[in-house]
């Protein structure tokens, strides 16, 4: 030791010996007092400096937690959610006690004892750092974490930590412990866009928070420490270690007994990423509701907890979704297998993880999962799923019947071996057959749209805009204007009945040649079946869908007359072409437009306006929008000549004021006759397949355009009008053996079978001014004694007249060729 050190050491010893014990204690006391005073002055100075800059903690009472926009069905089921943060706020009494115990065990065991800051917690955290190099139980209290998350950044500086302590003390003075826990569990981030406990329970376990087990409670609590590092899906090993430590800590603190500990510690990791808890798939409807909410409330719609309640029936919507998918799959099966969706390059990874990555990047469409072929035998194939598992598909599950697609009108021969059309690396789609067994399939090239309305109010009950929203966001119900073909004819025939035609009017179903007077182009329209029946009644011409008759009717009425009559159905008459092809539905319309028009046949002649949203609530549950649609009131006087504006409604028993009544657009007698003819379409016409439903209150009309490129069926009963369209987005032909009755009608039947289940048949009430007369079917005139070919027909008559107007009238189109006809 150097000499100076010896010198100073000896000097210090000498001084201590010189001081008596009393003097020594006095010096130590004053030194401690000085230290405490300096510390107190320092903290007081910091408080005086920082406290004016702190935000008021009572602002937490007005805090607006970002809550996503949610869309619900009419029966309260979640069908859509939009917003960056998934959150469902809970009240304190909704938080499970075992979850709270897991939270306190991991983060703040002395929570109910301290006043915002825990010295023991800080010392314990320091001890854990010294022992293991990391903190397992947090050094900050829950109150400090809440203060930091609401008011401060995570920057590790002394001033921030001091602010955190000050804010925590203020929060504890302002709020009860229960209020702090409620705020904490609704605010904190749990990873995967989950904010708050309820969102975390849904995202990781697909459960309500009340259904979680102790192990699941502990796993969710464990995520709080580091949502990425302790994510139970992305980092299962690390998250399990954290979970088990929390369970052990709960046992150590006597929050659970040994039996509960043993069960929890043995429970495997069952976490996986779940959706937002949607109970019914209705993506096209959700998107429509989202757009409406954003149009009304701007970007706040995504964060302020708005709830949009739609008119959609969840059961009908689920049926509509499956009906469209099944109908398109059936159409696709009739036209052959187009081959694998893509081909993957050979993999050098024995686990085929690169192939799994490709499969995971592909969306499941219409329930069809993408899988890669890893082995091909004569009568079976082995497939790789996106999760790495293997699936064997035998010859009878979609392999033996895969005739190759040649064109929309032809297929090749049946395969003799799976090797004929599948190879290792091919990516194919696997669906389920009727027994739930896997089956080789493919995403259909065709698309479809379905919309179903309540004809008495216009409420949308179900809507499907395509095969799968993930394949295409294009909503064909609202945006897909296509030619409706013969399903447009009832609108023309309605005009005819209003201008002197009757169901018995005879029109010539014979070939016609029309020359365009401007271009000179010759048009030779034909009937779908290529046959002609000669003179035929208007009723029979419509239910047999005779094209030549429709053209002659339109020519007789005049194109302008018919176009003017279409405006009342909600169409823009300026958009319609002034040509005879209009009689065959040559002008493109959307399925929603067609359903709206047909609603007038279903409800007895009234105009309804479709609507989707019944009401919108804000985050506080206050109604900020409510729909007031015009409704049909058949017992109320017509709006144009009403005497009492508040007659009771036949459907609700409530009075309907004038401004809430749907206006009449078709005379009740004309509407009744049209309904009768459209019922014949189902009873003995092109829609006869619908008789399988065993109902007598169904009416409708098929539609098939040239090609055919568009296939339709619009049909109804008094409670529901449903329109179905089938076609290809590229507007290419669907196959010459396809008609509205073979592709669109089966989807309609599949949907209506479930939608109308339990509803009794409803026979339309015959209005005043309808008379029934026996007529000769060959002439359309009243039957004479001795006539054998007779039927009863209905006619519209003036209330004071006993002779039906237009009875047996033969229009000029039946004998005299119109101008321009060769």
């Amino acid at each position: 030791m150097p000499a100076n050190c010896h010198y100073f050491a000896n000097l210090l010893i000498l001084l201590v010996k010189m001081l008596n014990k009393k003097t020594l204690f006095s010096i130590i006391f004053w030194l401690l007092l000085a230290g405490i005073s300096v510390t107190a002055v320092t903290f007081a100075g910091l408080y005086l400096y920082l406290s004016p800059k702190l935000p008021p903690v009572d602002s937490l009472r007005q805090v607006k937690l970002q809550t996503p926009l949610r869309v619900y069905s009419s029966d309260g089921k979640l069908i859509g959610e939009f917003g960056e943060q998934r959150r469902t706020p809970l009240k304190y009494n909704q938080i499970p006690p075992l979850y709270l115990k897991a939270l306190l065990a991991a983060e703040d065991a002395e929570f109910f004892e301290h006043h915002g800051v825990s010295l023991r917690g800080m010392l314990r955290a320091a001890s854990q750092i010294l022992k293991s190099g990391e903190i397992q139980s947090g050094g900050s209290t829950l109150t400090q974490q809440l203060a930091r998350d609401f008011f401060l950044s995570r920057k590790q500086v002394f001033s921030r930590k001091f602010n955190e302590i000050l804010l925590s003390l203020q929060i504890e003075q302002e709020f009860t412990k229960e209020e702090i826990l409620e705020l904490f569990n609704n605010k904190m981030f749990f990873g995967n866009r989950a904010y708050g406990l309820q969102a975390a329970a849904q995202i990781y376990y697909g459960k309500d928070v009340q259904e979680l087990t102790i192990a699941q409670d502990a796993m969710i609590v464990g995520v709080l420490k580091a949502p990425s590092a302790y994510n139970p899906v992305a980092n299962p090993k690390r998250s399990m270690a954290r979970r088990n430590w929390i369970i052990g800590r709960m046992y150590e603190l006597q929050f659970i007994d040994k039996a509960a500990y043993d069960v929890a510690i043995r429970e495997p990791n069952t976490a996986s990423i779940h959706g937002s808890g949607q109970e019914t798939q209705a993506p096209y409807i959700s998107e429509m509701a989202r757009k409406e909410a954003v149009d009304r409330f701007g970007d706040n719609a995504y964060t302020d907890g708005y709830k949009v309640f739609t008119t959609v029936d969840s059961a009908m919507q689920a049926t509509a979704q499956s009906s469209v998918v099944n109908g398109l799959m059936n159409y696709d099966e009739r036209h052959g297998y187009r081959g694998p969706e893509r081909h993957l390059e050979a993999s050098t990874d024995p686990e085929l993880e690169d192939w799994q990555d490709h499969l995971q990047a592909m969306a499941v469409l219409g329930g069809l999962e993408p899988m890669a072929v890893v082995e091909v035998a004569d009568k079976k194939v082995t497939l790789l799923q996106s999760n790495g598992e293997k699936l064997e598909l035998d010859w009878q599950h979609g392999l033996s019947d895969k005739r190759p697609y040649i064109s929309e009108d032809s297929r090749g021969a049946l395969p003799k071996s799976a090797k004929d059309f599948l190879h290792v690396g091919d990516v194919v789609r696997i669906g389920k057959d009727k027994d739930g067994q896997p089956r080789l399939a493919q995403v259909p090239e065709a698309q479809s749209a379905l919309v179903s309305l309540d004809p008495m109010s216009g409420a949308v009950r179900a809507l499907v805009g395509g095969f799968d929203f993930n394949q295409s966001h294009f909503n064909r119900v609202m945006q897909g204007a296509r030619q409706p073909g013969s399903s447009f004819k009832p609108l023309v025939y309605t005009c005819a009945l209003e201008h002197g035609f009757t169901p018995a009017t005879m029109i010539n179903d014979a070939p016609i040649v029309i020359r365009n007077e401007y271009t000179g182009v010759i048009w030779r329209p034909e009937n779908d079946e290529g046959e002609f029946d000669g003179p035929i009644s208007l009723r029979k011409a419509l239910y047999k869908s005779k094209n030549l008759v429709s053209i002659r009717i339109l020519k007789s009425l005049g194109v302008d007359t018919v176009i003017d009559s279409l405006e009342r159905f909600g169409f823009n008459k300026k958009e319609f072409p002034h040509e005879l092809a209009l009689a065959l539905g040559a002008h493109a319309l959307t399925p929603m437009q067609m359903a709206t028009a047909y609603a007038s046949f279903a409800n007895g002649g009234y105009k309804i306006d479709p609507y989707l949203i019944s009401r919108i609530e804000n985050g506080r549950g206050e109604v900020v929008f409510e729909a007031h649609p015009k409704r049909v009131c058949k017992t109320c006087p017509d709006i144009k000549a009403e005497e009492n504006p508040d007659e009771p409604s036949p459907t609700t028993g409530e009075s309907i004021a004038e401004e809430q009544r749907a206006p009449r657009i078709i005379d009740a007698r004309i509407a009744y006759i049209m309904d009768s003819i459209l019922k014949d379409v189902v009873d003995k016409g092109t829609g006869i397949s619908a008789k399988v439903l065993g109902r007598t209150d169904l009416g409708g009309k098929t539609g098939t355009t040239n090609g055919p490129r568009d296939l339709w069926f619009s049909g109804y009963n008094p409670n529901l009008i449903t329109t179905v369209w089938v076609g290809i987005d590229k507007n290419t032909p669907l196959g010459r053996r396809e008609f509205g009755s073979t592709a669109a009608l089966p989807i309609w039947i599949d949907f209506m079978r479930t939608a109308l289940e339990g509803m009794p048949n409803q026979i339309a009430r015959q209005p005043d001014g309808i008379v029934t007369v026996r007529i000769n079917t060959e002439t359309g005139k009243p039957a004479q004694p001795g006539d054998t070919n007779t039927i009863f027909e209905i006619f519209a008559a003036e209330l004071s007249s006993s002779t039906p107007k237009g009875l047996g009238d033969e229009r000029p189109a039946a004998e005299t060729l119109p101008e321009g006809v060769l």
Side-chain angles (χ1 to χ4, degrees):
M1 182 180 288
N4 329 3
C5 292
H6 279 296
Y7 174 76
F8 283 112
N10 291 332
L11 181 62
L12 183 60
I13 293 170
L14 180 62
L15 287 172
V16 171
K17 287 181 178 179
M18 291 173 62
L19 294 171
N20 59 34
K21 186 179 291 187
K22 183 176 180 180
T23 304
L24 182 61
F25 280 127
S26 177
I27 292 173
I28 293 172
F29 170 76
W30 286 108
L31 286 173
L32 287 173
L33 182 62
I36 292 171
S37 300
V38 170
T39 302
V41 170
T42 301
F43 277 97
L46 285 170
Y47 175 78
L48 292 173
Y49 174 72
L50 295 174
S51 60
K53 301 180 181 181
L54 294 177
V57 297
D58 61 354
S59 64
L60 289 176
R61 295 195 184 278
Q62 286 78 45
V63 70
K64 290 176 66 175
L65 296 171
Q66 281 196 31
T67 305
L69 169 69
R70 291 191 171 97
V71 183
Y72 295 89
S73 64
S74 61
D75 47 340
K77 293 188 177 180
L78 182 66
I79 60 177
E81 183 178 274
F82 302 91
E84 183 180 346
Q85 297 186 8
R86 294 176 177 173
R87 178 184 280 113
T88 302
L90 297 171
K91 296 294 185 183
Y92 175 76
N93 59 11
Q94 295 175 302
I95 303 173
L98 281 173
Y99 166 82
L100 288 175
K101 290 179 179 179
L103 177 66
L104 298 183
E107 299 291 336
D108 191 354
E110 294 87 26
F111 175 74
F112 284 99
E113 301 168 16
H114 63 64
H115 298 286
V117 180
S118 172
L119 184 58
R120 275 192 291 175
M122 292 181 181
L123 293 175
R124 183 173 62 252
S127 171
Q128 289 171 352
I129 290 176
L130 292 174
K131 290 179 180 178
S132 63
E134 63 176 78
I135 301 177
Q136 289 182 303
S137 59
S140 297
T141 65
L142 292 178
T143 314
Q144 287 176 269
Q145 294 178 50
L146 184 68
R148 180 173 64 234
D149 215 70
F150 265 109
F151 299 116
L152 305 171
S153 71
R154 291 185 173 270
K155 191 175 181 181
Q156 296 290 337
V157 293
F158 176 77
S159 60
R160 193 226 71 188
K161 192 67 178 177
F162 194 76
N163 282 336
E164 180 184 297
I165 292 171
L166 292 178
L167 285 168
S168 300
L169 295 172
Q170 291 183 31
I171 288 172
E172 290 275 351
Q173 291 178 346
E174 189 73 28
F175 293 86
T176 66
K177 292 289 188 179
E178 291 75 14
E179 289 173 330
I180 292 170
L181 285 172
E182 181 179 309
L183 278 168
F184 182 92
N185 284 293
N186 286 327
K187 178 68 169 68
M188 303 307 287
F189 178 54
F190 290 84
N192 290 104
R193 293 175 55 208
Y195 288 80
L197 170 60
Q198 180 69 357
Q202 174 57 48
I203 293 299
Y204 292 118
Y205 296 106
K207 294 181 177 182
D208 182 84
V209 67
Q210 302 293 342
E211 302 173 288
L212 297 175
T213 64
I214 293 174
Q216 291 168 343
D217 285 330
M219 184 70 86
I220 288 175
V221 168
V223 175
L224 281 171
K225 183 179 180 183
S228 295
Y230 292 100
N231 185 306
V233 178
N235 293 295
K237 187 174 180 180
R238 183 180 293 181
S239 65
M240 281 292 284
R242 174 74 176 163
R243 184 204 76 168
N244 291 342
W245 178 86
I246 293 172
I247 295 171
R249 178 89 173 133
M250 292 174 73
Y251 178 59
E252 177 187 331
L253 295 171
Q254 298 183 353
F255 288 167
I256 57 174
D257 58 23
K258 184 65 166 60
Y261 168 83
D262 290 339
V263 170
I265 210 74
R266 286 196 300 267
E267 186 174 312
N269 180 7
T270 58
S272 62
I273 300 301
H274 294 73
S276 57
Q278 294 180 19
E279 299 168 271
T280 298
Q281 294 300 310
Y284 290 98
I285 289 170
S286 297
E287 175 57 20
M288 291 168 66
R290 179 203 67 81
K291 186 178 183 304
E292 174 73 15
V294 172
D295 287 345
R296 288 180 177 275
F297 310 113
D299 288 343
N300 289 340
Y302 297 121
T303 60
D304 288 359
Y306 286 100
K307 294 180 178 179
V308 180
F309 293 88
T310 68
T311 58
V312 171
D313 180 281
S314 62
M316 287 189 190
Q317 179 61 30
T319 300
Q321 202 83 30
S322 63
S323 298
V324 165
V325 169
N326 292 338
L328 286 174
M329 294 295 293
N330 290 336
Y331 163 84
D332 195 69
E333 287 278 344
R334 295 195 293 269
H335 292 270
Y337 186 62
R338 296 185 302 278
E341 196 165 312
R342 60 187 296 188
H343 185 82
L344 300 177
E345 295 297 326
S347 175
T348 57
D349 182 357
E351 300 297 323
L352 298 176
E353 291 188 2
D354 52 341
W355 282 17
Q356 291 178 49
D357 291 340
H358 283 294
L359 295 173
Q360 289 170 3
M362 298 176 68
V364 175
L365 301 176
L368 305 179
E369 295 187 36
M371 299 187 191
V373 178
V374 294
E375 186 178 346
V376 185
D378 279 340
K379 301 298 181 182
K380 70 176 181 179
V381 295
T382 303
L383 302 165
L384 174 71
Q385 302 179 62
S386 60
N387 60 5
E389 295 181 1
K390 302 286 181 64
L391 173 70
E392 280 197 357
L393 201 65
D394 63 38
W395 187 242
Q396 298 304 318
H397 287 92
L399 299 177
S400 63
D401 61 354
K402 285 297 174 284
R403 296 173 61 183
Y405 172 91
I406 296 177
S407 73
E408 69 271 13
D409 295 318
S410 60
R411 295 181 292 170
L414 288 169
K416 296 180 180 179
S417 166
K419 295 179 180 179
D420 292 344
F421 60 98
L422 291 177
H423 305 88
V424 173
D426 286 345
V427 176
V428 297
R429 294 279 176 170
I430 302 298
K432 297 288 180 67
D433 62 18
K434 294 180 180 178
D435 298 322
Q437 296 300 310
R439 177 180 175 81
L440 180 64
Q442 64 187 352
V443 176
E445 188 177 11
Q447 283 287 351
S448 181
L450 181 153
V451 59
S452 191
L453 307 176
D454 178 350
M456 304 303 286
S457 67
V460 176
R461 294 305 186 203
L463 185 151
V464 179
F467 180 71
D468 193 292
F469 188 76
N470 292 320
Q471 179 191 26
S472 167
H473 292 187
F474 182 63
N475 188 341
R476 294 158 188 83
V477 168
M478 306 299 296
Q479 301 167 292
R482 300 291 288 258
Q483 293 184 3
S486 295
S487 64
F488 186 78
K489 290 176 182 175
L491 307 181
V492 177
Y493 279 58
T494 298
C495 182
L497 292 175
E498 293 169 332
H499 286 79
F501 283 76
T502 75
T505 299
M506 304 301 291
I507 304 102
N508 196 18
D509 179 32
I512 187 171
V513 180
I514 301 171
R515 178 189 293 121
N516 187 299
E517 60 182 283
Y518 300 107
T519 65
V521 175
I522 298 296
W523 179 38
R524 293 181 175 86
E526 296 181 351
N527 291 322
D528 285 341
E529 72 281 5
E531 299 175 354
F532 306 96
D533 289 348
I536 188 173
S537 70
L538 179 144
R539 174 183 289 273
K540 193 172 184 180
L542 182 54
Y543 74 68
K544 292 189 70 174
S545 199
K546 293 294 185 176
N547 291 340
L548 282 303
V549 171
S550 298
I551 292 171
R552 284 193 163 93
I553 289 175
L554 178 58
K555 181 65 176 176
S556 176
L557 293 170
V559 175
D560 288 340
T561 299
V562 172
I563 289 178
D564 287 342
S565 76
L566 296 174
E567 192 169 26
R568 58 185 161 170
F569 293 101
F571 302 123
N572 182 353
K573 70 176 185 178
K574 295 179 181 179
E575 297 177 352
F576 286 94
H578 288 253
E579 56 188 37
L580 294 178
L582 179 64
L584 308 184
H587 177 65
L589 298 168
T590 66
M592 181 62 86
Q593 288 176 302
M594 290 301 295
T596 304
Y598 267 73
S600 298
F601 300 131
N603 63 32
Y606 296 87
K607 171 67 170 68
I608 53 91
D609 295 311
Y611 73 103
L612 176 66
I613 297 174
S614 58
R615 74 180 190 279
I616 301 176
E617 296 179 0
N618 62 20
R620 297 183 296 277
E622 300 165 341
V623 176
V624 294
F625 167 78
E626 189 165 14
H628 297 286
K630 292 185 177 181
R631 300 176 182 274
V632 172
C633 179
K634 292 186 177 181
T635 60
C636 300
D638 288 341
I639 289 176
K640 292 183 179 179
E642 72 174 70
E643 297 175 359
N644 184 349
D646 296 311
E647 291 289 333
S649 163
T651 56
T652 65
E654 301 173 355
S655 62
I656 299 181
E658 176 181 345
E659 64 274 10
Q660 294 178 329
R661 293 185 207 159
R664 176 174 287 285
I665 60 171
I666 306 174
D667 182 278
R669 297 164 298 175
I670 303 300
Y672 182 80
I673 293 171
M674 280 303 304
D675 175 57
S676 168
I677 299 174
L678 291 173
K679 282 183 168 67
D680 274 355
V681 173
V682 172
D683 188 53
K684 50 192 172 185
T686 57
I688 196 169
S689 298
K691 290 185 72 174
V692 71
L693 297 179
R695 302 184 68 96
T696 58
D697 59 351
L698 301 177
K701 184 70 184 75
T702 54
T704 305
T705 65
N706 286 340
R709 288 175 167 81
D710 300 282
L711 309 174
W712 295 76
F713 188 77
S714 288
Y716 61 87
N717 92 326
N719 294 315
L720 211 58
I721 156 66
T722 302
T723 291
V724 175
W725 166 85
V726 174
I728 296 174
D729 286 342
K730 296 178 182 178
N731 203 23
T732 54
L734 291 153
R736 63 174 179 265
R737 289 182 292 274
E738 296 292 349
F739 300 91
S741 58
T742 63
L745 181 54
I747 295 174
W748 186 92
I749 292 171
D750 195 20
F751 169 74
M752 294 292 269
R753 177 182 286 112
T754 301
L756 297 179
E757 188 175 2
M759 293 186 188
N761 276 294
Q762 295 188 33
I763 306 302
R765 186 183 68 85
Q766 180 173 301
D768 294 333
I770 291 289
V771 295
T772 303
V773 178
R774 183 185 291 273
I775 63 167
N776 185 304
T777 58
E778 295 179 357
T779 65
K781 296 181 177 181
Q784 300 299 315
D787 286 352
T788 55
N789 297 324
T790 63
I791 60 169
F792 284 103
E793 185 55 273
I794 56 175
F795 300 89
E798 298 299 332
L799 296 179
S800 59
S801 170
S802 60
T803 304
K805 181 180 179 182
L807 178 62
D809 184 22
E810 292 194 25
R811 307 303 299 171
E815 291 83 25
T816 306
L817 294 178
E819 181 180 353
V821 178
L822 297 178

